[in-house]
Structure formats: structure tokens, C-alpha cells
Amino acid sequence: FFLAHMLARLAGSSRGPAARAIRSLSSALGVPLPVAPAAEVKPGRTAQAFYRNLPVSPKKLRVVANLTPKLYWREAMMQLEFCRKQMAVMVKNAIESAAGNAEAQGLSKERLVVDEVVVNKGKHFKKMDIKARGKTGIRKTYFSHLRVVLREVAEEEVGRTQHFGKWRPGSKLNQLLALPWAERVKHLPRYKPLPGYDPHG
């Protein structure tokens, strides 16, 4: 009984030559090996992008990052484009990088949805915290880690995401984006070009 119990414990953790030895010993003794339950895997392939040690506190970055989950990735980038928070550019660049990684992996960019955006604490530095009666303490200022996960889903599920109607084929927005920049500006009467700005880089 003790030998069978030890085989059951080692079977799930041993790999390589040790695993082959355990399997041969188990077959010789007639002790069946336990089968590990299959891990639950979400349907659809994913692509990720990591940004480390961003110069913003996690508390401020989470406010902007929570705007994007469950949105079509182009819609999420548009929401961040018009967000007035400075750290919106960081989240937008991370989503664009994840979309590029997805395209490199063979995923369809037309069926990508922002699955999750995770913000964690990064490295920190210490500075003096002056208190009353001549006392001092230590104040920690944190940087942030950002992880964006895009998931490839079915076309029906993409169509059910919020504000996806403007991205459908034949919509006014897609027709406008298909035009060259010089022609596109003519359809934007309230657009004022910035001095020195070249949209073509």
C-alpha cells in the first residue's frame, strides 16, 4: 500500500527518465497510475503584450485600463485615443503591440477582442516623508507593469461587443479610413491641423 501511494504521488510530478521508471515499475506491480484532470482552457487563441515599469502609479493606470476589456480591439484603441488621461497612450500602445503579436502568430485581426488588461506593481523608489514634530518616514513611489491579452473569438461574438457597429464593413467610419489623409481631412470640417504634424511620419 505504501509503495502504491508513493507511485501515485510521483507519477504526476516526475518527467523524463524518472517518469519512465515509474511507469515500468507500475506495470510490473499492477498498480494503475492516476490520471491528472485536464486543465480548463478557454476557447480561442490569445496574444499578449507586456509593458514593464511604466512611469505611472498602478492606481492611476487601472482607471484607464478598466475602459478596454470586452471591446473590439480597434474600438478600445479609439476609446483611449480620446481619453484625456496621459497614461491612455501607454494602454493604447500595449493593445497595438498585442494586435501585432496576434497577426505574427496567424490570428485574424478582424476577430480580436480585449480579453483582459492586468496592472500590477513594478519596482519602486523611496523618498523621505516629512511628518509632524520633526519626525520622518519613508514613502514608496511605485512603477507599474501592464499586461494586455487579446483573444480571437467567433465573428458573432465580435458583433455583440459594445460599439462594434461603426467597424462593420461598409460603415461610414471604414469608408472614411479607406481614403487618403488629404481626402479624409476634407470630410472633417472641425479638424484643425497642428503646426509641424505630419500624419505620414
Side-chain angles (χ1 to χ4, degrees):
F1 175 79
F2 176 76
L3 183 59
H5 180 67
M6 291 301 297
L7 284 174
R9 292 187 59 183
L10 293 175
S13 60
S14 300
R15 296 181 180 179
R20 289 192 294 269
I22 291 175
R23 286 195 295 268
S24 61
L25 183 60
S26 174
S27 60
L29 296 176
V31 179
L33 289 176
V35 179
E40 184 178 356
V41 180
K42 294 183 179 180
R45 297 178 295 172
T46 60
Q48 302 183 13
F50 294 91
Y51 275 37
R52 301 184 182 278
N53 293 319
L54 296 174
V56 61
S57 68
K59 181 179 179 180
K60 294 179 181 179
L61 187 59
R62 285 192 187 100
V63 174
V64 178
N66 289 337
L67 298 174
T68 58
K70 311 307 177 186
L71 290 178
Y72 179 54
W73 73 277
R74 295 183 189 273
E75 176 63 26
M77 290 186 62
M78 177 171 282
Q79 295 290 338
L80 296 171
E81 178 72 24
F82 295 98
C83 181
R84 301 179 65 180
K85 299 285 187 180
Q86 293 182 354
M87 62 286 302
V89 179
M90 306 175 186
V91 184
K92 179 187 172 184
N93 292 341
I95 293 177
E96 186 176 12
S97 177
N101 295 339
E103 188 177 19
Q105 296 175 17
L107 278 68
S108 174
K109 296 181 71 174
E110 303 302 324
R111 297 192 288 127
L112 291 178
V113 174
V114 181
D115 188 43
E116 59 179 355
V117 181
V118 182
V119 178
N120 291 318
K121 287 183 178 180
K123 66 180 183 180
H124 67 275
F125 62 89
K126 301 177 183 179
K127 56 185 179 181
M128 184 182 298
D129 185 14
I130 300 177
K131 302 180 182 296
R133 299 188 179 182
K135 298 180 181 180
T136 59
I138 298 177
R139 179 182 297 175
K140 296 181 180 179
T141 302
Y142 285 90
F143 291 79
S144 301
H145 294 332
L146 176 64
R147 180 169 65 94
V148 175
V149 180
L150 300 183
R151 181 173 299 278
E152 185 184 44
V153 298
E155 294 182 0
E156 295 79 9
E157 189 172 349
V158 177
R160 290 195 296 266
T161 58
Q162 193 175 14
H163 306 303
F164 180 74
K166 65 176 71 129
W167 300 101
R168 297 185 187 278
S171 64
K172 293 183 179 180
L173 180 61
N174 277 333
Q175 294 175 4
L176 187 63
L177 293 176
L179 296 175
W181 176 256
E183 296 292 331
R184 195 185 310 170
V185 173
K186 297 178 181 179
H187 296 78
L188 303 175
R190 289 185 290 180
Y191 174 77
K192 296 180 180 180
L194 298 175
Y197 172 69
D198 183 10
H200 304 289

